[in-house]
């Protein structure tokens, strides 16, 4: 079965971009545009990996801290995709930090290395 | 860091992990850190330790950072308060500047930015101390003068001093117990008029009664110097932020305070510079992030176009094109706004007939308005005289107003409401008024008050918060004025007045 990735970003163009890249590579996707919505989608879809923008109406790290407390979600790997510099340590357990703008292959490689 | 500056910092943040990380980093920098979990605890700890610097998160449950800032500034206006803000808190950030926050840094916190903010806070404290030392010297001179019997040599001292006082770039004035001005130096008279015999609150503040925390009164009753930060209004209506230092002048027996001298230093230039620096810092932070987002948007569009074409998926290609088009527009606007803000501009003013300018403006905006299904109506006639303006800048300024009128109509989702934007132009008391009326959603008072502020935007990621700020700047630089009337649910009228040049 195809692995599922949840894309969290408040810019619809970027959601479209990342989901298109991932779908073209054979992944399933779901998406959310802020931290609160992300939590709802997470419960419903239980994705295998999350890409997370940090600066959103309901701040990214806050969403992360919220779900990372739940034992059933805490092991879902997260990739930070952000336009902020100096964010390397915002989410310590992130498998990678991708800076906007990024190369599609760069992101795909990280996803592939993480969930296959 | 200089020894004289107490190196205690009060840190208020509701998130335990943020607090821990910050405390460790600050301790590494040599500070003593006191932590508070919320606003109330911060107030209590502040009272106990009176730290010179406070770092506070803006969003906290209960008492938020803004309220804490206000409280601290009321307890000790000289405390340097640095605000910590998450993305999307820009309005709060601007509000905090209005309450006189020293600086603010964005989350996630980059240590460099934090160190810079702390350095700025320490610099401010040092400068203020130097200033106090300097006024204290003045005070010493003054008591020397009033304490001794007048002798020959004192005459020269007195006149030297008078010359110094006369030409200091400070507003210096002398008061009797009734708060009437006995004497003032020329800098004071230049800015507030010849005020001898009048009350200070009338002359400097346009008030009918004494201010609550009047430092002159305090000095009369306590016989001690007082300092006070406040705002004066000059004779031509400009607001000046000033630091007031009041000194008692004793009678010959040194028993009671006979007069009080007030030395007010104009902080406006300092704070203008600081505002500019702060907003530049703010701008680089928020815009570089915005631009990266837009560049990624472009990538998104290009990817959809390319993969759409490869897969012969017309829908996807179309979507991609649309994204590229939108993003390029936005990018262009952001870049132009930045260029405008970052550069000192020189206007190339030329004389243009009002009618011709109004026609040009209409041509530019008409298509844009109609493309959103909004009607456009012109209401002006021939022969309205001429304007001396930089046409390009003025058109840009007015386009920004139209952009907002268009958004106000688009955001109005009520069915069966035909939207219309009207440009009416007419002469009024030697000026030309351009009134732009829309029947969109309108604005509440809060929005109307903030709409010209730098980085205020109601349009989320679509707005840069620069447009109307720039509009007002262009108009004011032309000696003009912009006024706004708005009713939520009914619409908005923006009136721009520009000085005319003859008929």
């Amino acid at each position: 079965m195809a692995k599922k990735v949840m894309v969290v970003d408040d810019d619809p163009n970027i959601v479209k971009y990342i989901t298109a890249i991932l779908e073209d590579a054979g992944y399933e996707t779901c998406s959310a545009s802020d931290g609160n919505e992300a939590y709802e989608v997470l419960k419903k879809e239980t994705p295998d990996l999350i890409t997370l923008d940090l600066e959103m109406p309901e701040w990214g790290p806050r969403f992360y801290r919220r779900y990372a407390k739940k034992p059933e979600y805490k092991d879902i790997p997260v990739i930070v995709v952000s336009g902020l510099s100096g964010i390397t340590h915002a989410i310590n357990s992130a498998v990678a930090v991708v800076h906007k703008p990024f190369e599609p292959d760069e992101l795909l490689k990280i996803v592939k290395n993480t969930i296959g | 860091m200089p020894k004289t500056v107490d190196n205690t910092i009060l840190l208020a943040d509701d998130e335990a992990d943020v607090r821990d990380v910050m405390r460790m980093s600050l301790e590494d920098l040599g500070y003593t850190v006191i932590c508070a979990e919320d606003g109330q605890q911060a107030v209590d700890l502040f009272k106990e330790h009176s730290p010179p610097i406070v770092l506070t998160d803006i969003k906290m449950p209960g008492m938020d950072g803004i309220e804490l800032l206000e409280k601290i500034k009321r307890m000790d206006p000289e405390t340097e308060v640095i605000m910590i803000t998450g993305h999307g808190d820009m309005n709060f950030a601007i509000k905090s500047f209005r309450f006189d926050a020293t600086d603010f840094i964005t989350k996630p916190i980059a240590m460099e930015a934090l160190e810079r903010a702390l350095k700025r806070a320490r610099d401010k404290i040092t400068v203020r101390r130097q200033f106090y030392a300097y006024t204290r010297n003045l005070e010493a001179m003054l008591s020397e003068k009033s304490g001794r019997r007048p002798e020959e040599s004192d005459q020269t001292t007195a006149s030297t001093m008078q010359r110094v006082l006369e030409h200091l770039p400070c507003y210096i004035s002398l008061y009797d117990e009734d708060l009437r001005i006995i004497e003032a130096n020329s800098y004071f008279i230049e800015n507030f008029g010849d005020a001898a015999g009048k009350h200070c609150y009338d002359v400097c503040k346009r008030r009918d009664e004494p201010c609550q925390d009047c430092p002159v009164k305090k000095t009369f009753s306590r016989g001690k110097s007082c300092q006070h930060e406040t705002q004066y209004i000059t004779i031509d209506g400009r607001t000046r932020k000033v630091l007031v230092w009041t000194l008692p002048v004793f009678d010959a027996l040194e028993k009671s305070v006979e007069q009080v001298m007030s030395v007010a230093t104009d902080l406006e230039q300092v704070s203008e510079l600081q505002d500019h620096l702060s907003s530049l810092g703010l701008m680089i932070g928020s815009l570089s992030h915005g631009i990266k987002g837009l560049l990624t948007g472009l990538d998104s569009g290009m990817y959809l176009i390319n993969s759409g074409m490869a897969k012969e998926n017309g829908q996807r290609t179309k979507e991609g094109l649309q994204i590229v088009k939108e993003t390029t527009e936005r990018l262009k606007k952001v870049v132009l706004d930045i260029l405008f803000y970052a550069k000192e501009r020189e206007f190339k003013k030329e004389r243009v007939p009002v009618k011709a300018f109004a026609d040009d403006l209409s041509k530019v905006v008409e298509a844009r308005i109609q493309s959103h299904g909004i009607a456009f109506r012109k209401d002006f006639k021939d022969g309205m005289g001429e304007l001396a303006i930089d046409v390009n800048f003025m058109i840009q300024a007015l386009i920004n107003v139209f952009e907002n009128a268009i958004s106000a109509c688009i955001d109005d989702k009520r069915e069966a409401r035909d939207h219309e934007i009207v440009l009416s132009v007419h002469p009024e008391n030697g000026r030309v008024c351009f009134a732009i009326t829309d029947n969109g959603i309108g604005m509440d008072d809060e929005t109307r008050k903030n709409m010209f502020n730098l980085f205020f935007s109601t349009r989320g990621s679509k707005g840069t918060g620069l447009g109307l700020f720039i509009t007002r700047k262009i108009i004011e630089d032309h000696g003009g004025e912009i006024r706004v009337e708005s009713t939520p649910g009914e619409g908005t009228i923006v009136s721009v007045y520009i000085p005319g040049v003859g008929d």
Side-chain angles (χ1 to χ4, degrees):
Chain A
M1 204 181 79
K3 296 271 171 102
K4 192 189 283 173
V5 181
M6 173 162 84
V7 179
V8 187
D9 200 306
D10 63 336
D11 185 335
N13 290 342
I14 290 169
V15 170
K16 218 174 266 173
Y17 183 30
I18 301 178
T19 49
I21 295 171
L22 294 170
E23 279 169 15
D24 288 349
Y27 294 101
E28 273 185 44
T29 60
C30 54
S31 66
S33 62
D34 67 48
N36 284 332
E37 192 191 338
Y39 195 70
E40 295 309 311
V41 176
L42 174 75
K43 282 194 285 191
K44 218 170 77 194
E45 306 268 349
T46 52
D48 301 289
L49 181 139
I50 298 171
T51 78
L52 180 62
D53 180 21
L54 291 182
E55 323 74 65
M56 297 180 300
E58 178 62 21
W59 211 49
R62 215 161 267 183
F63 159 68
Y64 169 77
R65 277 198 286 274
R66 191 169 159 201
Y67 86 75
K69 278 188 194 135
K70 309 271 170 183
E72 64 267 44
Y73 303 133
K74 73 173 174 39
D75 293 327
I76 302 177
V78 56
I79 300 175
V80 171
V81 180
S82 170
L84 288 178
S85 45
I87 49 166
T88 325
H89 301 298
I91 293 181
N92 282 324
S93 56
V95 291
V97 176
V98 177
H99 293 275
K100 287 178 191 171
F102 57 88
E103 286 295 318
D105 286 342
E106 182 195 347
L107 181 69
L108 267 183
K109 214 170 104 192
I110 299 168
V111 174
K112 229 171 248 162
N113 286 342
T114 312
I115 55 173
Chain B
M1 97 193 47
K3 264 197 196 136
T4 43
V5 179
D6 178 4
N7 63 351
T8 308
I9 292 181
L10 172 62
L11 168 69
D13 198 307
D14 59 315
E15 291 184 66
D17 39 0
V18 174
R19 234 171 23 236
D20 287 347
V21 172
M22 296 264 295
R23 184 174 48 77
M24 281 188 281
S25 319
L26 289 168
E27 282 172 355
D28 281 349
L29 291 173
Y31 291 95
T32 310
V33 186
I34 308 164
C35 291
E37 285 171 28
D38 57 43
Q40 191 48 53
Q41 198 185 5
V43 170
D44 296 341
L45 287 169
F46 183 82
K47 280 185 194 150
E48 194 179 324
H49 299 275
S50 53
I53 301 176
V54 176
L55 262 165
T56 175
D57 191 8
I58 288 188
K59 277 189 185 163
M60 290 188 290
M63 186 193 302
D64 68 9
I66 306 268
E67 206 182 328
L68 176 62
L69 166 68
E70 263 187 275
K71 285 216 163 106
I72 286 177
K73 283 284 175 181
R74 219 173 299 143
M75 287 190 277
D76 181 0
E78 285 175 16
T79 314
E80 301 299 335
V81 184
I82 300 168
M83 314 298 289
I84 307 168
T85 154
H87 178 75
D89 291 351
M90 282 308 162
N91 294 340
F92 286 111
I94 287 160
K95 219 185 241 171
S96 51
F97 273 127
R98 224 171 292 142
F99 286 121
D100 218 15
T102 309
D103 213 326
F104 85 101
I105 46 177
T106 47
K107 270 185 186 176
I109 293 153
M111 278 319 286
E112 275 169 34
L114 180 60
E115 272 179 64
R116 262 201 309 278
L118 287 170
K119 180 171 184 311
R120 215 173 294 168
R122 282 204 316 272
D123 285 351
K124 264 182 92 177
I125 294 173
T126 313
V127 166
R128 198 181 295 125
R129 279 181 192 208
Q130 280 166 355
F131 173 72
Y132 288 159
Y134 153 79
T135 24
R136 245 181 241 121
N137 286 340
L138 253 181
E139 191 179 4
M141 277 168 78
L142 199 69
S143 65
E144 209 173 296
K145 184 208 164 198
S146 60
R148 266 196 268 152
R149 299 262 155 241
E151 285 164 23
E152 280 291 332
S153 63
D154 268 355
Q155 290 294 334
T156 28
T157 321
S159 69
T160 314
M161 199 176 90
Q162 207 157 19
R163 270 211 310 278
V164 172
L165 292 184
E166 194 56 28
H167 292 102
L168 267 183
C170 298
Y171 311 123
I172 300 175
S173 45
L174 201 61
Y175 295 91
D176 66 13
E177 207 151 359
D178 197 26
L179 303 182
R180 283 180 198 278
I181 298 169
I182 303 169
E183 227 180 302
N185 72 341
S186 51
Y187 195 57
F188 185 99
I189 294 168
E190 234 170 75
N191 281 280
F192 300 96
D194 187 7
K198 292 184 192 158
H199 288 118
C200 51
Y201 46 86
D202 174 26
V203 173
C204 303
K205 299 210 160 193
R206 310 261 175 101
R207 289 168 60 108
D208 298 331
E209 50 186 41
C211 317
Q212 230 175 5
D213 313 310
C214 174
V216 176
K217 261 201 211 158
K218 266 191 211 161
T219 301
F220 266 116
S221 64
R222 294 182 198 167
K224 279 188 195 155
S225 308
C226 282
Q227 77 241 8
H228 180 63
E229 254 186 73
T230 185
Q231 282 190 337
Y232 282 179
I233 303 167
T234 62
I235 197 163
D236 53 356
R238 284 171 304 139
T239 314
R240 310 308 287 174
K241 208 189 230 177
V242 290
L243 182 63
V244 182
W245 180 263
T246 52
L247 319 164
V249 181
F250 291 99
D251 62 355
L253 297 169
E254 296 243 352
K255 274 198 175 149
S256 60
V257 181
E258 208 170 35
Q259 297 165 350
V260 168
M261 180 165 131
S262 151
V263 180
T265 311
D266 195 327
L267 297 178
E268 202 67 30
Q269 276 177 319
V270 182
S271 73
E272 262 166 30
L273 187 69
Q274 197 189 337
D275 272 1
H276 191 69
L277 288 178
S278 311
S279 40
L280 273 184
L282 194 148
M283 172 140 145
I284 289 160
S286 72
L287 287 183
S288 79
H289 163 246
I291 288 174
K292 285 177 194 164
L294 289 174
L295 289 176
T296 315
L298 273 187
D299 282 349
S300 165
M302 289 310 293
Y303 182 87
L304 293 177
I305 292 173
N306 285 332
S307 60
M309 295 214 312
K311 291 176 202 294
E312 291 186 8
N313 178 340
Q315 184 55 35
R316 187 183 254 207
T317 311
K318 230 190 211 163
E319 261 179 29
L321 271 174
Q322 188 56 35
I323 291 177
V324 170
K325 232 163 96 184
E326 269 172 30
T327 316
T328 319
E329 256 328 289
R330 273 162 63 189
L331 201 54
K332 195 167 108 193
K333 192 157 169 25
V334 173
V335 171
L336 288 177
D337 283 355
I338 298 173
L339 290 180
F340 187 93
Y341 188 69
K343 215 173 91 187
E344 282 294 322
R345 294 156 308 278
E346 237 174 74
F347 290 126
K348 288 196 201 97
K349 285 191 186 174
E350 50 184 312
R351 284 173 80 117
V352 285
V354 176
K355 172 71 164 49
F357 176 73
D359 279 333
D360 281 352
L361 176 65
S362 304
K363 241 177 262 162
V364 178
V365 296
E366 188 162 20
R368 222 181 285 206
I369 294 172
Q370 287 168 349
S371 75
H372 292 284
I374 304 164
F376 176 62
R377 187 155 60 82
K378 296 187 277 187
D379 176 18
F380 48 84
K381 8 181 214 293
D382 285 326
M384 291 181 287
E386 288 189 332
L387 293 169
I389 51 173
D390 184 310
V391 174
N392 288 330
F393 276 120
M394 194 51 77
I395 286 206
Q396 188 54 51
L398 292 166
I399 284 177
N400 288 344
V401 177
F402 277 101
E403 292 274 350
N404 279 276
I406 293 171
S407 308
C409 292
I410 294 174
D411 291 343
D412 186 6
K413 306 285 184 214
R414 281 171 292 179
E415 300 250 333
R417 189 169 169 93
D418 291 327
H419 287 114
E420 184 185 52
I421 295 175
V422 184
L423 169 65
S424 103
V425 188
H426 57 271
E428 199 179 303
N429 300 329
R431 302 195 289 184
V432 178
C433 172
F434 292 80
I436 294 146
T437 309
D438 71 71
N439 59 354
I441 49 170
M443 283 179 278
D444 54 23
D445 276 355
E446 177 75 16
T447 308
R448 195 173 51 79
K449 270 186 217 140
N450 285 318
M451 60 187 287
F452 294 112
N453 285 344
L454 193 56
F455 305 117
F456 179 82
S457 176
T458 55
R459 286 155 67 197
S461 58
K462 288 206 176 98
T464 57
L466 282 167
L468 286 179
F469 172 81
I470 287 171
T471 293
R472 187 175 63 176
K473 189 143 176 36
I474 295 177
I475 290 166
E476 286 179 352
D477 287 350
H478 277 84
E481 188 192 352
I482 183 162
R483 286 190 208 156
V484 183
E485 292 161 61
S486 188
T487 314
E490 285 182 25
T492 303
I493 308 174
V494 178
S495 307
V496 174
Y497 298 87
I498 304 165
V501 281
D503 296 316

